[in-house]
Amino acid sequence: MSQGVTSTEVFAQRMARTREAMAERGIDVLLLSVGLDLPWLAGYHAMPLERLTMLVVPREAPATLVIPRLEAPRVVERPEIFSMLPWNETDDPIALTARLVTSVGARTVAVGDQMWARFLVDLLAHLPTVSWVRSVEVLGPLRMRKDDAEIAALRAAGAAVDRIAAQLQAGEIPLVGRTEAQVSADLSARILAEGHDVVNFAIVAAGENAASPHHHPGSRVIRDGEIVLCDFGGTMNGYCSDITRCVHIGTPPADLAAAYAVLLEAQQTSVASAVVGTPCERVDAAARDVIAAAGWGEYFVHRTGHGIGMDAHEDPYIVSGNTLPLAAGHAFSVEPGIYVPGRWGMRLEDIVVASDDGPDPMNRVNHELVIV
Ligand code: ZN
Ligand code: ZN
Ligand code: ZN
């Protein structure tokens, strides 16, 4: 995956801020393997394979990338950021990693959330006296605040899926008579055609299937007279898109149209509430209160949103109990829904960035329940 938005200078700044955060939390070494902390910090995306790749970042010594020799040619070398320690097929990369940890006398080590258990279990045996914490303690707050280049990447990815949503709303994506899976494949092809590197998901849920928020598109044929929920996104230049729009085939029944009006008001109220300084849970409550006041509260069964960036779901979460105040550069979804089991479901989702000038939506395509 390309990391087109980031320069060596930016990586050097991230490394310096990471070491400051490690010092604040008393963390001696950071270990990053599979997952997106590593490309965020050093511009390299580890292959999710059984051969270990590990960036070892001591707080007060140079960082080392332990890497299978056959994958070393993939690395964009950045000597100011890390040196390389390629290992051969007969070497023990866990022992190499453990030696780098013990050589700085580390007592507290942070590991990435997506490091495989097989590696952590082996490291535990090599480093029995170390205490372990999660790298998200250090990197979560840093990754949450997007810089201008990251926001530009989110905006470009958002504009790309907006164009696909506009095609859906214009009736250019055939629905009636096709299966959900066929429409999902169509959306996926359009996500790639619009410049994404990968498709992360393309949920298509028709009629009663739309009442399941993470429905897996299947052989269900889409019929006249029903709602079709499409929630899709991918990764473009390292940053994610994620949008949900619903269309209705023919005129919707009055109760469904009334519910959609509530959903639209809830979503727009929530987006408007997302100003710097507002706690995340207030942004959730802004949507939830509108839906509850209209009597649909029990049918809104999930949090209002999730952070987004290099990961499709990351901090900050827009959920009751999260008192974190929004700061400029926080990027997250606002996606309330109403789901009536056995009948229909609906969700409306935009990505929003908190800025000093107010909430900045990455998605601007029509928010109405468009009739196709
Ligand atoms: Zn979701
Ligand atoms: Zn979504
Ligand atoms: Zn989402």
Side-chain angles (χ1 to χ4, degrees), residues 153-164 194 196 241 362-364:
L154 287 168
R155 197 182 310 281
V161 289
D162 270 10
R163 289 190 288 273
I164 301 169
E194 285 288 354
H196 288 74
S241 60
M362 303 291 105
N363 303 102
R364 293 167 182 275

Side-chain angles (χ1 to χ4, degrees), residues 231 242 306 313 333 335 349:
D231 181 353
D242 184 2
H306 52 84
H313 287 193
S333 70
E335 50 175 310
E349 173 178 29

Side-chain angles (χ1 to χ4, degrees), residues 201 203 213-214 229-233 241-245 306 308 312-313 333 335 347 349-351:
F201 49 84
I203 297 172
H214 276 176
L229 180 157
C230 298
D231 181 353
F232 51 96
S241 60
D242 184 2
I243 187 173
T244 308
R245 289 294 185 269
H306 52 84
I308 189 167
H313 287 193
S333 70
E335 50 175 310
R347 179 164 65 255
E349 173 178 29
D350 292 331
I351 302 305

Side-chain angles (χ1 to χ4, degrees), residues 120-204:
L120 183 55
V121 166
D122 287 352
L123 280 168
L124 290 171
H126 279 78
L127 300 165
T129 62
V130 154
S131 64
W132 300 88
V133 296
R134 290 170 58 202
S135 69
V136 71
E137 278 188 31
V138 176
L139 296 176
L142 300 179
R143 282 183 55 187
M144 232 187 312
R145 298 284 297 267
K146 272 67 182 179
D147 65 24
D148 289 347
E150 293 181 290
I151 294 168
L154 287 168
R155 197 182 310 281
V161 289
D162 270 10
R163 289 190 288 273
I164 301 169
Q167 293 158 13
L168 176 72
Q169 293 171 336
E172 291 166 14
I173 301 177
L175 298 174
V176 176
R178 290 171 109 189
T179 65
E180 293 169 337
Q182 285 171 326
V183 176
S184 176
D186 190 336
L187 289 173
S188 296
R190 289 169 194 256
I191 289 167
L192 296 176
E194 285 288 354
H196 288 74
D197 304 303
V198 286
V199 177
N200 293 334
F201 49 84
I203 297 172
V204 176

